[in-house]
Amino acid sequence: MSTTMERNTQAQSAQTHQAQAQTTGAIRTTDELNRIILPKTVCEQLGILAGDKFEVTIQGSDILLKRHAPLCLACNDDTDVQALHRTYLCGVCRDAVTSTLRGGEIHEAIK
């Protein structure tokens, strides 16, 4: 019985993965600087704007692009991360820094 359940789970997982992968049918050619321009419809569907950053990963012979999500310098969280000078902090850590500065405890925090 568990073997049948495992097969069903694997089949559902494969179907979910296939449903997530969408082929646009668009073919792009690299230019002289090896750049590839993404189709406008893909950018609109995913909310990609000029200046967005992506991580490039090689998986076998495939190239994967993943939107770059900076991590909080203090806790490595990726939720509600914003740039603060030359680093990134999440909301919790920004609040902690703000309350520390407001409380006049900056000297204690540095020690």
Side-chain angles (χ1 to χ4, degrees), residues 73-99:
L73 176 68
C75 70
N76 285 329
D77 191 7
D78 65 352
T79 307
D80 188 28
V81 177
Q82 294 180 1
L84 180 66
H85 299 285
R86 294 184 183 172
T87 191
Y88 294 93
L89 291 176
C90 70
V92 172
C93 294
R94 283 193 314 274
D95 290 346
V97 168
T98 302
S99 67

Side-chain angles (χ1 to χ4, degrees), residues 23 35 60 69-70 80 87 106:
T23 302
R35 296 176 295 196
D80 188 28
T87 191
I106 189 66

Side-chain angles (χ1 to χ4, degrees), residues 28 38-45:
R28 295 293 186 251
L38 299 174
K40 182 178 181 181
T41 54
V42 170
C43 293
E44 289 172 348
Q45 182 179 357

Side-chain angles (χ1 to χ4, degrees), residues 5 15 20-21 29 32 34 36 40 52 55 61 72 75 78-79 84 87 90 94 96 99 107:
M5 289 176 63
Q15 290 172 351
Q20 291 174 348
T29 305
E32 63 279 351
N34 293 323
I36 299 172
K40 182 178 181 181
D52 285 356
E55 296 177 35
S61 62
C72 175
C75 70
D78 65 352
T79 307
L84 180 66
T87 191
C90 70
R94 283 193 314 274
S99 67
H107 298 291

